[in-house]
Amino acid sequence: MDTIQAVLFDLDGTVYVGDKLINGAKQAIDCVRTQEKQVAFLTNNSTKTKEQIQQKLNGLGIEAGLSSIYTSASVTVNYLVQHQIECVYCLGTDAFKSELATRGIATASDASVHCIVIGMTYDITEEDFAVVREIAQKPDSLIIACNLDLSYPDGSGSIATGCGRVVQQVEEAIQRKVDLVLGKPSKFMLEEFVRESGISYEHIMVVGDSYTSDIELAIQHGCVPVLIDQSMLQHEDCILISDIQLLPELFSLPPVLRNLKNVQNERQLIDGILDPYQNLLLDLKQVYIFGAQKLGEKLYDQCRAANIEVMGFIDNDAKKQGQTFKEKTIFALDACRKHEAIIIASTTYLGEIQKQLLEHGYLNSIPFTVLNLFNPEIFVNEPVFIDMHKDIAENKLKYISLYLLLSDEKSKDTLCKLLECRMEFNFHELEYGSENHYFEDDIVELGDQEVFIDGGGYSGDTTKAFIEKVSGNYKNIHIFEPDEQLMNIAKSELRKSPNINYHQKGLFSHDAKLSFNQTGGLDGAISSEGRYTIDVTAIDSVIKQKTTFIKLDIEGAEEHALRGAAEQLSTHRPKLAIACYHKAEDLWKLPRTVLEINPDYNLYFRHYSQSALETVLYCI
């Protein structure tokens, strides 16, 4: 936002409604001026002159010079003057006709002219329709509409009919479309401001409450679009704020969000990450792999495919040291020389290992995530990292909108740190929270009558933690886990706890049979490549009682499961703790999914590892 030089405000529904100033509008406008940005007002309302609008704004405490006000009526008059049209048939208010007269444009009372201008009016007569039909039949006739807005808020508690309705009536009467529309989202109003101010489009922010007029105008011309939308759901190509009072926050965004505007594409981010590793990667012939486990095994095979010799494995687990893995010796870190190249093969402990290596002077370490960026054909990435930079490049405005939605400063700080790490892959700098995974005391308030759903029950570990948090006092628990072996472990672990319902199914948006990649571990997931078939169901299909708390950690199917719990979320409003890291876009998409179902939720983020894993979205 540092490059913004001017902010253009819509009026009706943005700054005021009827004769009432919208709460926070004056403060937002004052804040913009404090930032030394130029302020102007663009309105499609053609029922008032610029002088009348100036008087209204000044009366509401908002300073506005005539030169800062642009209306669909004023740009229509300017267009007529520029094209030397001296007489028109006008459908509009007395104020509109007065504005025409002030600029020397006469208004005819018959069909002797060749131009019709259409503004907002409630007084169209049959005589008017007869005249416009006659004019419209002339081969050189020109029909101009001030705007196509069908409605606008007028302060009466209802929505007033807009100029677009008048245009529809005229078009139906003459059996043809108007030739020209001069109000938003057409270019004329914005072009006038650019011409008079000398400020280029990319340095302009447009703030309004109408996507079809305000935001489309901004998008078409490369301005920064800010939509005031209480539902926060409908549009993804603009910054969304629920209230104009949030606008000042856009001018005090943390550096990572301000820098998002400079991100042109994913290649820019990837090149920035690869740059310090380039020489090391180009000469990579021999490596050690830090992590003698599943991911280490995968990287061993990938290194061999890339003709890179694996000299051995490194692991902090003393029980593994001295053993062999993939026919290679497992060493302690201090057995490895400082100049050796070391691939970090860990997701959960990626940042911690990265930090350990740096602190001990091993400067040639390479996170496994970097190898994928360097050679994606061979080093196939883990699912959580797929398209991570593409997501950031394509969804910059969504992340800014998300930041403004979050309900506490810790959540906002967590989001910013996650974005920094995703953009730079410096996970060793990522701070993470307590062991209170899914049950943050400052967010989740638990009682003794909870009905808890454990989606992705695994071996019962989260349910066990829940029972401990409530000291064994709860109403009911439902565990969903499709892996039979894991479900049996959960039943055994929880055999002494009452009122637990076990559902050997996956959670989804509807009942179905789906392919499943069964691993016996934490990463079993619904997948088109899975060799097993499982039953999946929707929470609303199975749970008929009121639930109070839903936890979802189901390896990328969280959005589907939320949609399958729409009845619970909209009617009973349970607390939610949702894993939001399995797909790159989960970070912004899952909050929007929740608000789409029930816009009354407050949103919080907490993070529980020094990697891209274990981010939880709490919805209360």
Side-chain angles (χ1 to χ4, degrees):
M1 301 302 156
D2 299 339
T3 62
I4 297 298
Q5 298 175 22
V7 180
L8 311 185
F9 290 89
D10 171 54
L11 288 175
D12 289 293
T14 299
V15 173
Y16 51 65
V17 176
D19 294 324
K20 184 178 180 181
L21 185 68
I22 288 176
N23 191 31
K26 182 183 185 305
Q27 292 84 346
I29 294 167
D30 289 345
C31 171
V32 171
R33 286 179 168 143
T34 301
Q35 298 288 327
E36 299 184 348
K37 319 289 184 187
Q38 190 167 333
V39 169
F41 304 96
L42 312 185
T43 177
N44 270 351
N45 193 327
S46 65
T47 64
K48 292 179 174 61
T49 64
K50 291 174 67 170
E51 288 80 7
Q52 289 172 327
I53 291 174
Q54 180 191 37
Q55 291 171 8
K56 181 174 182 177
L57 285 169
N58 291 345
L60 292 170
I62 296 174
E63 179 185 340
L66 277 179
S67 62
S68 69
I69 298 170
Y70 300 79
T71 76
S72 63
S74 70
V75 295
T76 299
V77 172
N78 288 344
Y79 181 89
L80 296 172
V81 171
Q82 291 163 12
H83 290 80
Q84 299 179 347
I85 299 171
E86 298 176 350
C87 190
V88 299
Y89 192 82
C90 178
L91 298 174
T93 62
D94 290 341
F96 187 13
K97 292 173 183 176
S98 171
E99 192 140 6
L100 289 165
T102 301
R103 298 294 298 279
I105 299 170
T107 51
S109 58
D110 56 28
S112 60
V113 296
H114 293 261
C115 180
I116 303 168
V117 291
I118 307 170
M120 182 55 211
T121 178
Y122 295 98
D123 300 321
I124 301 181
T125 65
E126 284 302 321
E127 182 180 349
D128 287 322
F129 285 124
V131 173
V132 297
R133 286 191 192 98
E134 187 175 345
I135 297 173
Q137 289 173 0
K138 297 179 181 181
D140 57 347
S141 63
L142 175 65
I143 306 174
I144 299 173
C146 284
N147 64 82
L148 298 180
D149 290 353
L150 297 177
S151 62
Y152 67 94
D154 67 353
S156 66
S158 59
I159 300 297
T161 301
C163 181
R165 298 292 186 192
V166 181
V167 174
Q168 288 178 341
Q169 289 178 286
V170 172
E171 288 179 336
E172 185 177 344
I174 64 178
Q175 292 297 294
R176 60 176 269 199
K177 295 291 185 182
V178 298
D179 299 300
L180 194 59
V181 180
L182 294 175
K184 299 176 291 185
S186 296
K187 62 183 180 179
F188 299 94
M189 213 180 293
L190 183 58
E191 280 186 343
E192 277 194 19
F193 173 80
V194 169
R195 186 167 58 250
E196 293 172 4
S197 68
I199 298 173
S200 57
Y201 295 110
E202 67 270 21
H203 299 307
I204 295 171
M205 175 186 288
V206 178
V207 181
D209 67 326
S210 169
Y211 184 87
T212 54
S213 62
D214 307 314
I215 303 309
E216 285 192 359
L217 172 70
I219 291 171
Q220 287 172 15
H221 296 279
C223 304
V224 175
V226 179
L227 177 64
I228 301 171
D229 176 16
Q230 291 187 346
S231 67
M232 305 289 290
L233 303 170
Q234 300 302 315
H235 308 289
E236 300 184 344
D237 48 5
C238 58
I239 297 173
L240 291 167
I241 58 176
S242 59
D243 193 301
I244 196 170
Q245 294 183 80
L246 294 173
L247 185 70
E249 286 197 54
L250 290 176
F251 297 97
S252 59
L253 292 173
V256 65
L257 293 176
R258 294 204 302 269
N259 293 337
L260 279 179
K261 191 173 185 293
N262 301 322
V263 177
Q264 301 300 316
N265 51 55
E266 64 175 314
R267 190 70 247 173
Q268 177 187 345
L269 290 171
I270 290 171
D271 288 346
I273 293 169
L274 285 176
D275 186 59
Y277 295 97
Q278 281 291 357
N279 292 335
L280 180 59
L281 291 169
L282 289 171
D283 295 330
L284 202 59
K285 304 296 184 202
Q286 296 178 329
V287 298
Y288 286 84
I289 296 177
F290 200 130
Q293 29 63 14
K294 187 176 179 180
L295 180 56
E297 182 178 13
K298 175 182 173 180
L299 282 162
Y300 174 86
D301 294 336
Q302 291 173 343
C303 285
R304 292 192 61 183
N307 294 317
I308 298 170
E309 182 182 2
V310 177
M311 305 297 290
F313 287 86
I314 300 169
D315 205 288
N316 287 329
D317 186 347
K319 295 178 181 177
K320 293 182 179 180
Q321 294 164 6
Q323 305 295 316
T324 58
F325 186 67
K326 299 292 285 186
E327 300 181 352
K328 296 288 182 178
T329 302
I330 302 173
F331 299 98
L333 176 60
D334 57 13
C336 185
R337 291 173 293 183
K338 298 291 174 72
H339 69 275
E340 300 285 2
I342 301 173
I343 297 173
I344 304 172
S346 176
T347 50
T348 303
Y349 304 105
L350 174 59
E352 293 179 23
I353 296 172
Q354 202 172 10
K355 187 175 182 179
Q356 177 187 356
L357 291 170
L358 288 172
E359 288 176 348
H360 287 79
Y362 293 89
L363 302 180
N364 290 331
S365 66
I366 310 167
F368 76 94
T369 51
V370 172
L371 290 172
N372 166 260
L373 301 181
F374 179 70
N375 188 345
E377 300 296 325
I378 292 178
F379 293 97
V380 179
N381 220 336
E382 295 298 286
V384 66
F385 294 97
I386 293 174
D387 290 335
M388 188 172 279
H389 300 103
K390 180 181 180 181
D391 169 65
I392 291 172
E394 292 183 355
N395 298 298
K396 297 179 290 187
L397 299 183
K398 297 189 186 77
Y399 282 112
I400 294 174
S401 301
L402 175 61
Y403 175 86
L404 297 175
L405 269 176
L406 296 173
S407 296
D408 70 352
E409 290 303 317
K410 188 170 183 179
S411 298
K412 293 180 177 183
D413 186 55
T414 298
L415 174 64
C416 290
K417 285 183 166 60
L418 286 168
L419 284 173
E420 286 174 0
C421 291
R422 289 184 176 205
M423 292 168 71
E424 301 171 7
F425 275 2
N426 288 328
F427 290 102
H428 63 287
E429 297 178 359
L430 181 62
E431 298 175 7
Y432 56 99
S434 68
E435 297 299 318
N436 234 353
H437 209 147
Y438 302 121
F439 307 108
E440 284 293 336
D441 292 329
D442 61 335
I443 300 175
V444 178
E445 184 177 334
L446 297 173
D448 59 5
Q449 291 294 306
E450 301 287 344
V451 177
F452 177 57
I453 293 179
D454 187 355
Y458 186 53
S459 61
D461 54 341
T462 303
T463 291
K464 187 181 292 186
F466 166 76
I467 293 171
E468 290 176 2
K469 287 292 287 187
V470 297
S471 302
N473 299 312
Y474 57 88
K475 187 174 183 179
N476 219 315
I477 295 173
H478 295 269
I479 298 178
F480 289 84
E481 172 55 58
D483 187 316
E484 182 179 5
Q485 182 178 354
L486 291 174
M487 181 63 91
N488 287 335
I489 295 173
K491 289 178 179 178
S492 176
E493 291 289 321
L494 300 166
R495 63 188 180 278
K496 295 181 180 179
S497 299
N499 301 325
I500 299 180
N501 303 278
Y502 298 93
H503 308 270
Q504 194 181 314
K505 293 182 177 183
L507 285 175
F508 209 64
S509 57
H510 58 277
D511 293 352
K513 290 184 179 293
L514 297 176
S515 297
F516 185 71
N517 180 26
Q518 184 166 309
T519 65
L522 289 164
D523 56 347
I526 294 169
S527 169
S528 59
E529 300 175 358
R531 294 186 295 111
Y532 297 86
T533 299
I534 61 166
D535 291 318
V536 295
T537 189
I539 287 174
D540 288 341
S541 297
V542 177
I543 312 299
K544 301 305 179 183
Q545 67 183 134
K546 173 183 176 180
T547 62
T548 63
F549 190 7
I550 299 175
K551 164 258 177 177
L552 295 174
D553 189 347
I554 48 179
E555 305 301 316
E558 286 82 7
E559 181 185 357
H560 296 286
L562 285 168
R563 297 195 183 282
E567 179 64 26
Q568 286 285 345
L569 269 61
S570 59
T571 303
H572 302 306
R573 303 185 298 175
K575 300 176 285 286
L576 306 176
I578 309 165
C580 60
Y581 59 87
H582 294 111
K583 298 175 183 176
E585 67 270 20
D586 280 351
L587 204 54
W588 60 264
K589 183 174 277 189
L590 295 183
R592 287 202 179 194
T593 302
V594 171
L595 293 181
E596 181 181 336
I597 297 169
N598 188 336
D600 292 335
Y601 273 102
N602 296 306
L603 307 179
Y604 303 84
F605 276 131
R606 295 294 186 267
H607 188 73
Y608 298 95
S609 77
Q610 212 168 32
S611 78
L613 305 179
E614 309 305 340
T615 305
V616 175
L617 167 68
Y618 292 94
C619 308
I620 307 299

